[in-house]
Amino acid sequence: MYVIVAGGGKVGLNLTRELMAKGHEVTLIENNRRRYTILEPQLEHVVHLGDSTELWVLERAGIERADMVIAVTGDDEDNIIIAQVAREKYGRDKIIARCNNIRNMEHFDLLNISPVISSTDLILRLIEHEVPQYGLVHLLKLQAEDLEIIEVEVGIGSIAAGKTVGEIDLPEGGLIIAILREGEGIVPGGDTMINTGDEVMLILNPGLEDDITRLFTASEESFA
């Protein structure tokens, strides 16, 4: 696979190293000359000096034959431009962009750029996972498909506890895809029992989170 990585910061450098170690062909584009002189000897001539928001730089890097474009500069505006140019101008369909400021995530969403990686967002999701009172954990957002994958722990006395998958009255647009129980994953069928403490993964349309929370989280009586 041929990959273009735009942005030679720590993320871009480590990403390039890992991709090369896996046998992929990679070109890293860095626009800071001082940084370029540091990267070039480390990566053995796969680094191009230039502004990756400029067409001629991307063309020199071979964007027209790239299987994937990854925009990980430290500037969200640049990452948006690179992603849009790769998709709209050169027809690349495998694009990954980095969002440095989570407040800019809505701009990526508005322009239908996906997937977008935000370290802040990932940390927030880990907090959700580690702090039970958050209840529902967002695992993955499929922007183009208008779907998301979530995980929720089955609480004591919840509506779902003690019922089979087929007996749970899920809202339209929601589907249970896996159950994690005692460290093992289960692909459920209609007769699979849901137990208290299970971690249930669902795929659903955005906006159904409250309905899912109502079904799977502990009842108020269980706290009495």
Side-chain angles (χ1 to χ4, degrees):
M1 181 170 67
Y2 178 49
V3 183
I4 292 178
V5 177
K10 290 183 179 178
V11 174
L13 171 59
N14 291 326
L15 189 58
T16 299
R17 281 177 170 159
E18 293 301 315
L19 287 168
M20 292 173 65
K22 294 180 183 297
H24 299 296
E25 180 186 3
V26 185
T27 293
L28 173 63
I29 304 174
E30 169 57 42
N31 68 346
N32 182 288
R33 181 173 292 279
R34 183 176 179 184
R35 180 68 178 166
Y36 166 80
T37 60
I38 296 172
L39 296 173
E40 172 60 13
Q42 295 185 45
L43 297 175
E44 299 180 353
H45 314 305
V46 303
V47 187
H48 285 207
L49 177 63
D51 183 346
S52 48
T53 63
E54 295 190 14
L55 300 186
W56 72 270
V57 173
L58 291 171
E59 290 177 358
R60 186 186 62 184
I63 192 170
E64 291 172 333
R65 68 178 185 89
D67 300 298
M68 179 176 289
V69 176
I70 305 175
V72 290
T73 77
D75 188 308
D76 286 342
E77 290 184 0
D78 284 355
N79 291 338
I80 288 174
I81 292 171
I82 295 163
Q84 279 200 299
V85 167
R87 184 183 62 195
E88 304 298 335
K89 170 71 175 175
Y90 298 102
R92 302 301 89 187
D93 58 357
K94 293 182 179 178
I95 301 164
I96 298 174
R98 172 190 183 189
C99 176
N100 298 280
N101 185 342
I102 196 170
R103 294 180 180 177
N104 292 330
M105 187 67 86
E106 61 183 280
H107 302 302
F108 287 87
D109 291 343
L110 185 64
L111 295 168
N112 200 28
I113 297 172
S114 177
V116 177
I117 307 299
S118 163
S119 57
T120 304
D121 187 47
L122 290 175
I123 291 171
L124 287 173
R125 293 184 189 189
L126 286 173
I127 293 172
E128 288 180 344
H129 191 271
E130 296 301 321
V131 182
Q133 57 264 40
Y134 274 81
L136 185 147
V137 180
H138 294 83
L139 297 177
L140 181 64
K141 187 175 184 180
L142 304 171
Q143 183 72 24
E145 295 79 8
D146 195 29
L147 293 169
E148 61 182 350
I149 296 176
I150 65 165
E151 178 187 291
V152 63
E153 182 172 332
V154 181
I156 299 172
S158 65
I159 295 172
K163 291 184 176 178
T164 66
V165 169
E167 291 173 331
I168 299 172
D169 187 20
L170 289 172
E172 184 176 349
L175 178 69
I176 295 174
I177 57 175
I179 298 171
L180 305 180
R181 180 179 298 159
E182 298 177 351
E184 295 186 0
I186 301 170
V187 178
D191 58 351
T192 303
M193 185 66 70
I194 302 290
N195 298 330
T196 298
D198 285 349
E199 295 174 355
V200 178
M201 296 177 65
L202 301 100
I203 187 167
L204 67 158
N205 295 127
L208 298 179
E209 293 86 348
D210 289 345
D211 293 330
I212 297 299
T213 300
R214 179 180 58 80
L215 290 171
F216 289 92
T217 56
S219 65
E220 294 183 359
E221 288 77 11
S222 65
F223 295 109

